[in-house]
Amino acid sequence: MSQPLLQIQSFSVSFGAFRVLNNIHLTLAPGESLALVGESGSGKSVLARSIIGCAGAGARQEGTVLFRETNLTSASDQTLTSLRGGKISLMLQDALSALNPLYTIGRQMMETIALKHPAFAKGAGRAWKGFGRSDKPALRAMALELLHEAGMDRAEECFHAFPHQLSGGMCQRVMLALALAGEPDLLIADEPTTALDVVVQKQILHRLTQNVRARRAALLLISHDLHLVSEFTDRIAVLYAGQIMETGPTRKLLANPRHPYTRGLLEAMPKANTPKGSLRPIAGEVPAPWERDQGCLFRGRCPKALAGCALPPQEYVVENGWASFCGQLPHTTIPHAPSGGGPAYALCS
Ligand SMILES: Nc1ncnc2c1ncn2[C@@H]1O[C@H](COP(=O)(O)OP(=O)(O)OP(=O)(O)O)[C@@H](O)[C@H]1O
Ligand SMILES: [Mg+2]
């Protein structure tokens, strides 16, 4: 693996007395895509926002987040401001609320390009003073090009529209165009296609991964959809109650998951041929931050839990680059691929 672009080490985030992310370790190399999956409330968005120092008011961070040589947890506001939307871009979970309802898409895009695109940005972290008349034609042309790049069919029409005049899919494409405006080396996409139909989802993710790969940039893709991440990402990290449960190569891990939580997520996913009534949701709920202790946080819902699960879970290395945090793993019989060679858990793509 080449030199990591992003290294998250022993990273924790607390709000007041409650820890919502605990001891996260993740790396991302240039040209690589990493999926972050997990149930609602597991801490995916907090992690995404924390990387660029926007965890939220009152957030306390421990550990390090290295972006190349810069430790983002101790970086100055000026450094963070210059990186945001530039070398590091974040596509927020809710596209419509991330756009300013008072301005046209064109204006929002031209402002972002003027501030963040390498050809225009004239000073890292400088205050926004507007753009000159003479810059307008070039900014406009670039905005339209980015909208095309994001797969917007009627880019000109969209350029003049206000956010409320666009469909959900169009807003997501605008967010993608905005996220690409700074030619980011790291793109963090927090559920960029939620609530869109499967065709549009795939189109947007295809564009996004193509762009990222072509520039040897890295992608952190947050999603609930294991079908999509198995198609579009190289590695996966499974987050539960603020902790990594399992991490490894996406397709291999999803074909033969080792952690009972990953298996639970897969069993709860509908597939094309799932017979009616046969989905198995994971019983119970994610423990709230004030209910968490040192033991395995999944043990209250785990079908394989034993008394030893109350101890801190150990890292079990399945193979190089694939680790699972389940104290029972070395002793538990994991269902392996059937003798025919097919995966234990087949995802349709
Ligand atoms: N600003 C905040 N103050 C206090 N707690 C917060 C704050 N933001 C998030 N949390 C808590 O952090 C935990 C993780 O939230 P987060 O939004 O990261 O979950 P998520 O995995 O992104 O969920 P979803 O899939 O629903 O988007 C939750 O328990 C949430 O209540
Ligand atoms: Mg979220």
Side-chain angles (χ1 to χ4, degrees):
M1 193 165 88
S2 51
Q3 192 64 20
L5 182 76
L6 182 75
Q7 278 179 280
I8 301 178
Q9 294 164 338
S10 312
F11 185 64
S12 302
V13 177
S14 309
F15 290 99
F18 303 119
R19 201 167 251 217
V20 298
L21 284 178
N22 189 18
N23 200 22
I24 303 291
H25 289 261
L26 285 176
T27 57
L28 199 43
E32 197 178 37
S33 50
L34 171 70
L36 190 59
V37 303
E39 271 166 292
S40 200
S42 55
K44 305 180 296 297
S45 296
V46 171
L47 181 57
R49 294 200 307 265
S50 302
I51 292 172
I52 53 164
C54 296
R60 202 179 68 254
Q61 304 186 349
E62 294 161 64
T64 51
V65 176
L66 280 178
F67 177 68
R68 297 209 173 90
E69 284 83 36
T70 310
N71 182 0
L72 301 180
T73 55
S74 57
S76 65
D77 283 347
Q78 196 189 10
T79 305
L80 289 172
T81 306
S82 70
L83 287 172
R84 287 180 197 134
K87 289 292 159 212
I88 306 178
S89 210
L90 170 65
M91 277 178 83
L92 288 167
Q93 195 165 351
D94 180 355
L96 194 58
S97 69
L99 292 167
N100 189 328
L102 299 178
Y103 297 121
T104 61
I105 300 300
R107 174 163 174 179
Q108 295 183 56
M109 288 208 60
M110 289 197 296
E111 283 187 4
T112 306
I113 297 164
L115 260 177
K116 296 296 180 181
H117 192 281
F120 287 92
K122 297 183 182 84
R126 76 196 168 106
W128 170 246
K129 294 198 179 77
F131 46 82
R133 229 172 217 279
S134 57
D135 284 337
K136 236 177 161 178
L139 288 170
R140 189 176 186 283
M142 208 170 272
L144 289 172
E145 194 183 313
L146 279 166
L147 287 170
H148 278 299
E149 171 85 20
M152 188 74 81
D153 292 334
R154 290 170 292 159
E156 185 77 42
E157 204 177 301
C158 167
F159 185 87
H160 296 288
F162 286 89
H164 73 270
Q165 295 173 304
L166 303 183
S167 69
M170 289 166 99
C171 283
Q172 296 278 7
R173 286 187 168 98
V174 170
M175 289 307 295
L176 175 58
L178 283 168
L180 299 178
E183 301 197 339
D185 291 338
L186 171 62
L187 176 58
I188 305 167
D190 191 353
E191 301 190 33
T193 57
T194 312
L196 299 181
D197 68 73
V198 74
V199 177
V200 180
Q201 281 191 344
K202 288 199 175 189
Q203 281 173 356
I204 291 180
L205 282 176
H206 183 67
R207 298 255 171 198
L208 196 146
T209 44
Q210 255 188 341
N211 178 293
V212 163
R213 275 198 198 116
R215 294 186 299 104
R216 293 261 320 137
L219 170 69
L220 178 61
L221 175 66
I222 296 175
S223 178
H224 285 275
D225 191 328
L226 299 178
H227 299 294
L228 281 183
V229 303
S230 76
E231 191 171 338
F232 290 104
T233 62
D234 307 314
R235 288 193 303 122
I236 187 168
V238 182
L239 195 65
Y240 177 75
Q243 292 182 6
I244 302 283
M245 296 283 130
E246 187 163 18
T247 175
T250 309
R251 281 176 169 258
K252 261 177 143 176
L253 187 151
L254 291 178
N256 195 0
R258 301 307 170 101
H259 198 288
Y261 179 61
T262 318
R263 288 156 64 197
L265 283 181
L266 277 160
E267 283 170 1
M269 279 287 293
K271 299 168 196 73
N273 53 357
T274 303
K276 206 172 170 186
S278 67
L279 277 184
R280 275 193 280 159
I282 306 173
E285 281 177 18
V286 182
W290 51 90
E291 294 168 342
R292 299 175 191 174
D293 60 14
Q294 296 294 307
C296 172
L297 296 178
F298 187 57
R299 70 184 188 278
R301 307 168 74 187
C302 180
K304 301 237 174 239
L306 299 172
C309 298
L311 298 170
Q314 300 298 308
E315 179 177 3
Y316 170 60
V317 177
V318 182
E319 61 175 51
N320 192 19
W322 182 353
S324 214
F325 291 81
C326 174
Q328 302 308 326
L329 268 173
H331 321 288
T332 309
T333 311
I334 301 292
H336 283 286
S339 51
Y345 290 89
L347 278 169
C348 72
S349 54

mmCIF file of all heavy atoms in Angstrom, residues 15 20 38-47 49 55-57 93 190-191 222 224 239 289 292, ligand 1:
data_model
loop_
_atom_site.group_PDB
_atom_site.id
_atom_site.type_symbol
_atom_site.label_atom_id
_atom_site.label_comp_id
_atom_site.label_asym_id
_atom_site.label_seq_id
_atom_site.Cartn_x
_atom_site.Cartn_y
_atom_site.Cartn_z
ATOM 1 N N PHE A 15 -19.173 14.101 23.624
ATOM 2 C CA PHE A 15 -20.006 15.280 23.840
ATOM 3 C C PHE A 15 -20.324 15.288 25.328
ATOM 4 O O PHE A 15 -20.995 14.370 25.815
ATOM 5 C CB PHE A 15 -21.302 15.212 23.028
ATOM 6 C CG PHE A 15 -21.074 15.357 21.541
ATOM 7 C CD1 PHE A 15 -21.039 14.238 20.723
ATOM 8 C CD2 PHE A 15 -20.894 16.611 20.974
ATOM 9 C CE1 PHE A 15 -20.830 14.367 19.361
ATOM 10 C CE2 PHE A 15 -20.683 16.749 19.602
ATOM 11 C CZ PHE A 15 -20.650 15.622 18.798
ATOM 12 N N VAL A 20 -18.992 9.238 22.006
ATOM 13 C CA VAL A 20 -19.775 8.686 20.893
ATOM 14 C C VAL A 20 -18.894 7.978 19.869
ATOM 15 O O VAL A 20 -19.377 7.186 19.055
ATOM 16 C CB VAL A 20 -20.657 9.753 20.193
ATOM 17 C CG1 VAL A 20 -21.684 10.323 21.154
ATOM 18 C CG2 VAL A 20 -19.841 10.868 19.586
ATOM 19 N N GLY A 38 -22.845 0.901 9.199
ATOM 20 C CA GLY A 38 -23.277 0.666 10.575
ATOM 21 C C GLY A 38 -24.668 1.239 10.754
ATOM 22 O O GLY A 38 -25.099 2.098 9.982
ATOM 23 N N GLU A 39 -25.327 0.774 11.800
ATOM 24 C CA GLU A 39 -26.697 1.222 12.040
ATOM 25 C C GLU A 39 -26.764 2.707 12.364
ATOM 26 O O GLU A 39 -25.750 3.314 12.730
ATOM 27 C CB GLU A 39 -27.260 0.475 13.258
ATOM 28 C CG GLU A 39 -27.924 -0.831 12.939
ATOM 29 C CD GLU A 39 -28.122 -1.625 14.216
ATOM 30 O OE1 GLU A 39 -27.117 -2.066 14.790
ATOM 31 O OE2 GLU A 39 -29.266 -1.782 14.638
ATOM 32 N N SER A 40 -27.969 3.234 12.308
ATOM 33 C CA SER A 40 -28.196 4.623 12.666
ATOM 34 C C SER A 40 -27.712 4.873 14.099
ATOM 35 O O SER A 40 -27.961 4.057 14.990
ATOM 36 C CB SER A 40 -29.704 4.875 12.571
ATOM 37 O OG SER A 40 -29.930 6.222 12.446
ATOM 38 N N GLY A 41 -27.006 5.960 14.288
ATOM 39 C CA GLY A 41 -26.519 6.313 15.621
ATOM 40 C C GLY A 41 -25.176 5.699 15.961
ATOM 41 O O GLY A 41 -24.669 5.882 17.074
ATOM 42 N N SER A 42 -24.572 4.980 15.010
ATOM 43 C CA SER A 42 -23.298 4.319 15.329
ATOM 44 C C SER A 42 -22.125 5.300 15.308
ATOM 45 O O SER A 42 -21.041 4.981 15.787
ATOM 46 C CB SER A 42 -23.048 3.140 14.391
ATOM 47 O OG SER A 42 -23.116 3.560 13.058
ATOM 48 N N GLY A 43 -22.319 6.485 14.749
ATOM 49 C CA GLY A 43 -21.254 7.501 14.805
ATOM 50 C C GLY A 43 -20.612 7.804 13.459
ATOM 51 O O GLY A 43 -19.583 8.485 13.407
ATOM 52 N N LYS A 44 -21.207 7.376 12.366
ATOM 53 C CA LYS A 44 -20.620 7.574 11.035
ATOM 54 C C LYS A 44 -20.479 9.068 10.700
ATOM 55 O O LYS A 44 -19.423 9.514 10.278
ATOM 56 C CB LYS A 44 -21.473 6.868 9.960
ATOM 57 C CG LYS A 44 -21.703 5.387 10.236
ATOM 58 C CD LYS A 44 -22.545 4.739 9.160
ATOM 59 C CE LYS A 44 -23.971 5.245 9.034
ATOM 60 N NZ LYS A 44 -24.831 5.024 10.206
ATOM 61 N N SER A 45 -21.575 9.811 10.895
ATOM 62 C CA SER A 45 -21.525 11.235 10.532
ATOM 63 C C SER A 45 -20.615 12.014 11.477
ATOM 64 O O SER A 45 -19.919 12.937 11.042
ATOM 65 C CB SER A 45 -22.935 11.845 10.564
ATOM 66 O OG SER A 45 -23.736 11.249 9.591
ATOM 67 N N VAL A 46 -20.611 11.655 12.751
ATOM 68 C CA VAL A 46 -19.713 12.351 13.684
ATOM 69 C C VAL A 46 -18.266 12.140 13.237
ATOM 70 O O VAL A 46 -17.462 13.072 13.218
ATOM 71 C CB VAL A 46 -19.923 11.867 15.142
ATOM 72 C CG1 VAL A 46 -18.849 12.417 16.064
ATOM 73 C CG2 VAL A 46 -21.288 12.292 15.651
ATOM 74 N N LEU A 47 -17.937 10.923 12.827
ATOM 75 C CA LEU A 47 -16.575 10.650 12.356
ATOM 76 C C LEU A 47 -16.274 11.473 11.097
ATOM 77 O O LEU A 47 -15.218 12.102 10.994
ATOM 78 C CB LEU A 47 -16.398 9.149 12.078
ATOM 79 C CG LEU A 47 -15.005 8.730 11.604
ATOM 80 C CD1 LEU A 47 -13.930 9.133 12.612
ATOM 81 C CD2 LEU A 47 -14.926 7.226 11.370
ATOM 82 N N ARG A 49 -17.604 14.273 10.086
ATOM 83 C CA ARG A 49 -17.478 15.705 10.389
ATOM 84 C C ARG A 49 -16.229 15.994 11.210
ATOM 85 O O ARG A 49 -15.592 17.035 11.061
ATOM 86 C CB ARG A 49 -18.733 16.197 11.126
ATOM 87 C CG ARG A 49 -20.004 16.165 10.296
ATOM 88 C CD ARG A 49 -21.066 17.081 10.881
ATOM 89 N NE ARG A 49 -21.299 16.809 12.294
ATOM 90 C CZ ARG A 49 -22.249 16.012 12.777
ATOM 91 N NH1 ARG A 49 -23.062 15.394 11.949
ATOM 92 N NH2 ARG A 49 -22.383 15.829 14.073
ATOM 93 N N ALA A 55 -17.169 18.487 14.215
ATOM 94 C CA ALA A 55 -17.957 17.459 14.907
ATOM 95 C C ALA A 55 -19.226 18.042 15.505
ATOM 96 O O ALA A 55 -20.244 17.364 15.601
ATOM 97 C CB ALA A 55 -17.111 16.807 15.984
ATOM 98 N N GLY A 56 -19.191 19.299 15.884
ATOM 99 C CA GLY A 56 -20.360 19.923 16.490
ATOM 100 C C GLY A 56 -19.947 20.670 17.745
ATOM 101 O O GLY A 56 -18.882 20.397 18.319
ATOM 102 N N ALA A 57 -20.818 21.605 18.169
ATOM 103 C CA ALA A 57 -20.482 22.424 19.346
ATOM 104 C C ALA A 57 -20.277 21.516 20.551
ATOM 105 O O ALA A 57 -21.055 20.597 20.777
ATOM 106 C CB ALA A 57 -21.609 23.412 19.596
ATOM 107 N N GLN A 93 -24.982 14.682 4.563
ATOM 108 C CA GLN A 93 -26.021 13.658 4.482
ATOM 109 C C GLN A 93 -27.299 14.176 3.818
ATOM 110 O O GLN A 93 -27.926 13.472 3.049
ATOM 111 C CB GLN A 93 -26.315 13.177 5.905
ATOM 112 C CG GLN A 93 -27.076 11.899 5.985
ATOM 113 C CD GLN A 93 -27.003 11.307 7.385
ATOM 114 O OE1 GLN A 93 -26.264 11.763 8.239
ATOM 115 N NE2 GLN A 93 -27.781 10.275 7.618
ATOM 116 N N ASP A 190 -21.142 11.436 2.818
ATOM 117 C CA ASP A 190 -21.998 10.908 3.881
ATOM 118 C C ASP A 190 -23.382 10.601 3.297
ATOM 119 O O ASP A 190 -24.184 11.508 3.083
ATOM 120 C CB ASP A 190 -22.093 11.936 5.016
ATOM 121 C CG ASP A 190 -22.751 11.358 6.258
ATOM 122 O OD1 ASP A 190 -23.242 10.221 6.214
ATOM 123 O OD2 ASP A 190 -22.773 12.060 7.291
ATOM 124 N N GLU A 191 -23.623 9.346 3.052
ATOM 125 C CA GLU A 191 -24.883 8.896 2.443
ATOM 126 C C GLU A 191 -25.270 9.793 1.265
ATOM 127 O O GLU A 191 -26.330 10.423 1.274
ATOM 128 C CB GLU A 191 -25.988 8.844 3.495
ATOM 129 C CG GLU A 191 -25.624 7.892 4.627
ATOM 130 C CD GLU A 191 -26.784 7.607 5.569
ATOM 131 O OE1 GLU A 191 -27.923 7.592 5.098
ATOM 132 O OE2 GLU A 191 -26.514 7.398 6.755
ATOM 133 N N ILE A 222 -19.880 6.795 3.205
ATOM 134 C CA ILE A 222 -20.747 6.352 4.298
ATOM 135 C C ILE A 222 -22.070 5.907 3.704
ATOM 136 O O ILE A 222 -22.673 6.635 2.904
ATOM 137 C CB ILE A 222 -20.957 7.503 5.297
ATOM 138 C CG1 ILE A 222 -19.621 7.859 5.936
ATOM 139 C CG2 ILE A 222 -21.995 7.127 6.350
ATOM 140 C CD1 ILE A 222 -19.672 9.054 6.850
ATOM 141 N N HIS A 224 -25.671 2.981 4.216
ATOM 142 C CA HIS A 224 -26.355 1.868 4.876
ATOM 143 C C HIS A 224 -26.484 0.704 3.906
ATOM 144 O O HIS A 224 -26.902 -0.386 4.288
ATOM 145 C CB HIS A 224 -27.773 2.277 5.297
ATOM 146 C CG HIS A 224 -27.798 3.158 6.494
ATOM 147 N ND1 HIS A 224 -27.783 2.667 7.768
ATOM 148 C CD2 HIS A 224 -27.811 4.491 6.613
ATOM 149 C CE1 HIS A 224 -27.812 3.670 8.623
ATOM 150 N NE2 HIS A 224 -27.825 4.790 7.948
ATOM 151 N N LEU A 239 -18.907 -0.022 11.725
ATOM 152 C CA LEU A 239 -18.923 0.754 12.967
ATOM 153 C C LEU A 239 -20.171 0.385 13.765
ATOM 154 O O LEU A 239 -21.257 0.258 13.201
ATOM 155 C CB LEU A 239 -18.954 2.242 12.590
ATOM 156 C CG LEU A 239 -18.630 3.278 13.639
ATOM 157 C CD1 LEU A 239 -17.175 3.160 14.099
ATOM 158 C CD2 LEU A 239 -18.870 4.690 13.092
ATOM 159 N N PRO A 289 -24.908 6.217 24.357
ATOM 160 C CA PRO A 289 -23.552 6.506 24.852
ATOM 161 C C PRO A 289 -23.406 6.302 26.372
ATOM 162 O O PRO A 289 -22.351 5.894 26.843
ATOM 163 C CB PRO A 289 -23.337 7.969 24.462
ATOM 164 C CG PRO A 289 -24.174 8.145 23.229
ATOM 165 C CD PRO A 289 -25.376 7.272 23.441
ATOM 166 N N ARG A 292 -22.718 2.443 27.641
ATOM 167 C CA ARG A 292 -21.571 1.697 27.101
ATOM 168 C C ARG A 292 -20.511 1.436 28.159
ATOM 169 O O ARG A 292 -20.203 2.311 28.956
ATOM 170 C CB ARG A 292 -20.963 2.475 25.917
ATOM 171 C CG ARG A 292 -21.998 2.628 24.811
ATOM 172 C CD ARG A 292 -21.526 3.481 23.667
ATOM 173 N NE ARG A 292 -22.664 3.772 22.790
ATOM 174 C CZ ARG A 292 -22.644 4.586 21.764
ATOM 175 N NH1 ARG A 292 -21.528 5.205 21.439
ATOM 176 N NH2 ARG A 292 -23.727 4.794 21.036
HETATM 177 N N1 LIG B 1 -23.852 17.637 18.387
HETATM 178 C C1 LIG B 1 -24.087 16.540 19.102
HETATM 179 N N2 LIG B 1 -24.242 16.580 20.450
HETATM 180 C C2 LIG B 1 -24.454 15.458 21.177
HETATM 181 N N3 LIG B 1 -24.539 14.215 20.640
HETATM 182 C C3 LIG B 1 -24.404 14.109 19.310
HETATM 183 C C4 LIG B 1 -24.165 15.253 18.464
HETATM 184 N N4 LIG B 1 -24.059 14.822 17.192
HETATM 185 C C5 LIG B 1 -24.216 13.475 17.229
HETATM 186 N N5 LIG B 1 -24.424 13.058 18.492
HETATM 187 C C6 LIG B 1 -24.644 11.667 18.927
HETATM 188 O O1 LIG B 1 -23.608 10.882 18.364
HETATM 189 C C7 LIG B 1 -24.106 9.583 18.029
HETATM 190 C C8 LIG B 1 -23.752 9.257 16.600
HETATM 191 O O2 LIG B 1 -24.487 10.108 15.727
HETATM 192 P P1 LIG B 1 -24.262 10.108 14.157
HETATM 193 O O3 LIG B 1 -25.098 11.209 13.603
HETATM 194 O O4 LIG B 1 -22.815 10.135 13.867
HETATM 195 O O5 LIG B 1 -24.855 8.685 13.732
HETATM 196 P P2 LIG B 1 -24.894 8.034 12.286
HETATM 197 O O6 LIG B 1 -24.171 6.742 12.357
HETATM 198 O O7 LIG B 1 -24.416 9.024 11.272
HETATM 199 O O8 LIG B 1 -26.449 7.754 12.099
HETATM 200 P P3 LIG B 1 -27.366 7.835 10.762
HETATM 201 O O9 LIG B 1 -27.118 6.551 10.036
HETATM 202 O O10 LIG B 1 -28.744 7.918 11.295
HETATM 203 O O11 LIG B 1 -26.975 9.042 9.972
HETATM 204 C C9 LIG B 1 -25.595 9.593 18.302
HETATM 205 O O12 LIG B 1 -25.810 8.974 19.562
HETATM 206 C C10 LIG B 1 -25.927 11.075 18.350
HETATM 207 O O13 LIG B 1 -27.016 11.332 19.200
#
